[in-house]
Amino acid sequence: MQIGIIGLPQSGKTTIFHALAGGEKATSAYSSGRLDIHTAITSVPDERVDILSKMFKPRKTIYAKVTYADIAGLDKGISKKGLPGPFVNLLGQMDAFVLVIRAFDDPSVPHDGPIDPAADLATLDTEFLLNDMGAVERRYEKIVESIGKGGKDRDLALKEKGLFEKLKAHLDQEQPLRDMELTPEEFQMTRGYGFLSIKPVLIIINIGDEGTPPTLEYPHQKSALVALRGRLEREIAELSPEDAPLFMEEYGIKELSRSRVIGLSYDLLGLQSFFTVGEDEVRAWTVKRGATAVEAAGEIHTDLAKGFIRAEVVAYPDLIELGGLEQAKHKGKFRLEGKEYIVKDGDIVHIRHNM
Ligand SMILES: Nc1nc2c(ncn2[C@@H]2O[C@H](COP(=O)(O)OP(=O)(O)OP(=O)(O)O)[C@@H](O)[C@H]2O)c(=O)[nH]1
Ligand SMILES: [Mg+2]
């Protein structure tokens, strides 16, 4: 899962990228002209993993991961020129976006005109909509053309035509595609066209050191809005674990927004964790909400999905309450589930297999 961090120039993208990455090394993933991307693989903080790790004392403890990509390359004045093609192509590869909106005022950091978070948010949102309108129209013309020529899969083409008419009508109302209720089949049909407004978005308002959050709203599906003190959070995230608490106390910060923001992006993507436990390792794995036991097995290893016999499952709260796997077994809280079992967030899973 890859989340692209975007925003207007000098809004604090790189700062927030480092705040989220928390000391994790950034790798240069792509660079061409003004386009420049760095990625960092970040652990998803999860206190359940910490607690399981205390319980099993494994050699390794592994958290779920999410990748953040710091995408630079938007010039000022994009609303006049539109999003550059190569930039759009890269955005199309992301699973979701973090949109960084500048709310801090600092004369030493240039900004196009006065600081106006609502206007900046509207600028970016409009660019996404315009991009998608263009993409929908181009595809729609092609579909109509192919139906006219009597192409071979007429039923599919008609279905697609109907869907694209719906998408177009929705975009004409200036509403992002993420608000649409699409069937899984329809959603599948939208893939491959690089629609941007269909992807989940987390809006981070960079309020600066002392800033109070501006009143901003973004009343849309698959979206969330948080305020964050970008520069401060970055500084703290890069301190050693010993120094960080002192610094936080000095600035009156009780809790870093980092874990909340990472958790939010995980939720926005419709993801959940299940765990495997043992002496060797305690590990969080990521699956989509609604994933089946055999899909979860496949996440661990394709062989486990192929040779799947049963999943042994215990719910996290049961395991914690009863104090261990053996105790859970005695109390009958250890269930045997088949391939189609829908995995719950926090399930502790062991896959029985014949490989
Ligand atoms: N005062 C203040 N400055 C900040 C804050 N966050 C970022 N900055 C500064 O703003 C400038 C731009 O921050 P970056 O994180 O580089 O912003 P960016 O969006 O990555 O910039 P580009 O990639 O050049 O578009 C830097 O000098 C940061 O130190 C903040 O919370 N307060
Ligand atoms: Mg940057």
Side-chain angles (χ1 to χ4, degrees), residues 23-333:
E24 216 54 72
K25 264 224 171 62
T27 315
S28 174
Y30 183 89
S31 184
S32 159
R34 278 194 47 79
L35 259 179
D36 185 29
I37 303 187
H38 286 82
T39 55
I41 301 171
T42 309
S43 293
V44 179
D46 188 338
E47 68 162 7
R48 296 171 302 182
V49 177
D50 303 328
I51 293 170
L52 288 173
S53 184
K54 281 203 190 97
M55 188 180 240
F56 289 92
K57 304 190 175 48
R59 279 182 280 277
K60 275 182 296 182
T61 299
I62 303 176
Y63 294 83
K65 305 282 185 216
V66 30
T67 302
Y68 287 99
D70 175 16
I71 310 180
L74 270 191
D75 274 321
K76 46 180 191 180
I78 49 158
S79 43
K80 295 185 200 86
K81 288 177 277 182
L83 300 175
F87 185 76
V88 171
N89 286 343
L90 284 163
L91 296 192
Q93 295 164 21
M94 300 292 149
D95 298 295
F97 300 116
V98 161
L99 252 172
V100 177
I101 300 293
R102 173 166 169 181
F104 68 89
D105 205 355
D106 185 337
S108 70
V109 183
H111 185 268
D112 218 3
I115 304 296
D116 188 345
D120 288 357
L121 176 56
T123 299
L124 289 162
D125 215 35
T126 308
E127 284 314 312
F128 274 29
L129 290 180
L130 287 174
N131 171 77
D132 290 0
M133 280 176 191
V136 165
E137 265 158 31
R138 281 192 298 277
R139 179 65 197 158
Y140 184 73
E141 279 169 23
K142 289 237 166 71
I143 303 167
V144 171
E145 206 176 294
S146 98
I147 293 176
K149 280 190 195 144
K152 40 180 196 290
D153 207 339
R154 191 179 160 82
D155 284 349
L156 183 68
L158 285 174
K159 237 188 215 171
E160 223 190 329
K161 178 168 175 274
L163 171 63
F164 274 67
E165 277 161 2
K166 272 205 297 189
L167 299 181
K168 195 170 168 318
H170 186 85
L171 289 168
D172 283 343
Q173 309 269 324
E174 294 179 15
Q175 298 300 318
L177 295 175
R178 65 180 78 86
D179 281 353
M180 287 187 81
E181 296 272 348
L182 297 175
T183 64
E185 189 197 12
E186 288 176 325
F187 188 75
Q188 198 54 38
M189 280 199 260
T190 64
R191 295 179 74 96
Y193 303 111
F195 296 142
L196 302 180
S197 76
I198 204 164
K199 296 179 199 265
V201 64
L202 176 62
I203 297 159
I204 294 187
I205 308 170
N206 187 10
I207 53 175
D209 295 359
E210 336 260 320
T212 35
T215 38
L216 261 192
E217 280 181 26
Y218 193 74
H220 295 291
Q221 301 295 312
K222 294 185 205 150
S223 60
L225 209 137
V226 288
L228 196 146
R229 300 197 252 185
R231 192 166 64 179
L232 261 182
E233 290 252 351
R234 174 184 181 168
E235 274 173 35
I236 298 168
E238 289 177 338
L239 287 175
S240 69
E242 299 85 56
D243 293 341
L246 290 173
F247 195 89
M248 284 168 72
E249 205 179 305
E250 197 175 315
Y251 280 87
I253 298 174
K254 290 209 179 60
E255 196 192 4
L256 284 186
S257 308
R258 178 172 181 267
S259 20
R260 193 160 51 93
V261 169
I262 297 174
L264 263 175
S265 23
Y266 202 67
D267 288 346
L268 271 179
L269 284 163
L271 303 174
Q272 62 177 9
S273 295
F274 71 93
F275 308 117
T276 51
V277 296
E279 279 173 14
D280 190 43
E281 84 178 16
V282 161
R283 181 162 183 168
W285 302 86
T286 305
V287 280
K288 288 249 175 220
R289 282 196 288 268
T292 59
V294 71
E295 285 169 340
E299 191 56 42
I300 301 173
H301 202 290
T302 43
D303 286 349
L304 288 190
K306 280 189 207 133
F308 185 99
I309 299 172
R310 283 271 187 279
E312 298 174 19
V313 180
V314 54
Y316 175 81
D318 289 342
L319 180 68
I320 299 307
E321 192 193 316
L322 299 168
L325 289 177
E326 282 311 312
Q327 293 89 322
K329 264 183 199 152
H330 282 306
K331 293 275 178 191
K333 293 290 183 188

Side-chain angles (χ1 to χ4, degrees), residues 13-14 70 72:
K13 297 179 292 297
T14 303
D70 175 16

